[in-house]
Amino acid sequence: MVHLFDSASQPQLSPQALPDVVIELGQLFVDAGHELSLVGGPVRDLFLGRVSPDLDFTTDADPDATIAVIKRWADHYWEIGRDFGTIGLRKDQHIIEVTTYRAEAYDPESRKPAVAFGRSLEDDLFRRDFTMNAMALRLPSLELVDPYGGIRDLHAGVLRTPGEPSASFSDDPLRMMRAARFASQLQVEVADEVAQAMEDMAGRIEIISAERVRDELIKLVNGKDPRAGVDLLVDTGLADHVLPEVAALRLEIDEHHRHKDVYQHSLTVLEQACGLETGDDGPVPGPDFVLRFAALMHDVGKPSTRRFEPSGAVSFRHHDMVGSKLTAKRMKKLRFDNDTIKAVSRLVELHMRFYGYGDAGWTDSAVRRYVTDAGPLLERLHRLTRSDVTTRNKRKAERLAFAYDDLEERIAALREQEELDAVRPDLDGQQIMALLGVRPGPLVGRAYKFLLDQRLEHGPLDQAAAEAELLDWWQAQPESQQSAEPDREG
């Protein structure tokens, strides 16, 4: 055991790196005759020079004893995790969890652990996921407890488990997803034996709830190196269970190399999209999960739409539409919220819309439709489209970049003239009903859509011109003829 602030052989950390509540809470437990240690991610992050948003503690006190220690000190406490030995509390701005030493085992077919309280800090650390998370600071002395080489592995940038990886992943298969997440977040290499166990046990992830898998996936995609995390999922076979559409992107390369490696292309697009995110004051602050996940999934429609043409070319017709549906279906299975599903799948659907602009040229109407169809996703669509250029042909890349620069300039000019962000028909629903003498219903919706199409096609009209357009349209509708027929009864 090493005292953090006396040993020249270990990294030196300043006590000021820890909030005052850490030392205060440690003293309270010691005064009550118990042990308390800061544990896991917060300790790891101290050595990485990061401030962890979490404060997780472990103790020999059972939940009743923990409550007795903290109830007068905490601003508020709760017992939601009591069955798992965890008491949550709030002190000032800090959210804290204190968990009794645990020794837990999982039923091979169950998603939930069978919890048994442990007897020592070292045993508690042994049941944790990885060695770099199996370190603790005894409180209030700040003595480092690192029985499984967490500091060694952290400095080496290698992810290992305290015990046998197969035993760890059998206990909690979600740890395999966590390994991929740490590869992305912490930019560490996964030890060979860990990767092998992930490959051997990939199917065990099926017993984990979709929500828990989703949460790990979000953290992976939002990490510093999501390419590394996704690559690990695919290489170990985990992606076959959680993101099979991405695994399927590894299309076999035909002997004539008539198409590029779709999987590696998608990872490059993901990397490039990350590089186009903005700071907090920009239009797409990073990390932006919607943009990143759309970049990863944008070509998932290609495997099912690939065709070898008589000319020798390879086509992927409508892969954008197919990919959008596959993306939405996968995200629903992973229990994403509806807004996120709609945003990501819409970006996948629109990612090919730009192509052809530089060759054929677009009318102002086409530019308006591009902006309107993207809606609030426009800035993300700009970045996704630019990221999708991975060609090594410098001249082609420059031509596409120039064309998109031109499109953005035209959008800016039209937006200034016409307030494109809030394109609406020149008449609203009330005006339509008054002019046509109709009641609310599907007919009003059709009229509204007609006027919106006119607005997109021709730009804004004054009220008189819009009314004239609507009346001309109305004369061609069967409902207008019905309303003009005389009453033959009576």
Side-chain angles (χ1 to χ4, degrees), residues 131-160:
T131 58
M132 61 181 62
N133 293 333
M135 300 185 289
L137 290 180
R138 287 194 187 275
L139 301 171
S141 65
L142 296 177
E143 181 182 50
L144 176 65
V145 182
D146 181 20
Y148 307 109
I151 288 292
R152 173 201 64 209
D153 292 340
L154 191 60
H155 281 199
V158 177
L159 201 67
R160 302 183 193 277

Side-chain angles (χ1 to χ4, degrees), residues 394-456:
K394 185 177 180 181
R395 182 173 297 178
K396 181 179 180 181
E398 289 176 347
R399 177 169 54 81
L400 288 170
F402 177 81
Y404 208 86
D405 288 343
D406 183 66
L407 175 58
E408 287 202 59
E409 289 172 7
R410 288 185 63 191
I411 289 172
L414 282 171
R415 177 181 280 135
E416 184 174 348
Q417 296 170 18
E418 304 178 12
E419 299 182 2
L420 280 186
D421 288 336
V423 170
R424 297 289 186 274
D426 296 294
L427 303 177
D428 62 25
Q430 294 296 327
Q431 291 171 307
I432 291 170
M433 290 187 288
L435 184 63
L436 302 184
V438 298
R439 296 180 177 180
L443 175 60
V444 179
R446 282 164 42 207
Y448 187 93
K449 183 179 184 302
F450 165 76
L451 287 174
L452 179 59
D453 287 342
Q454 294 301 301
R455 171 72 171 79
L456 292 171

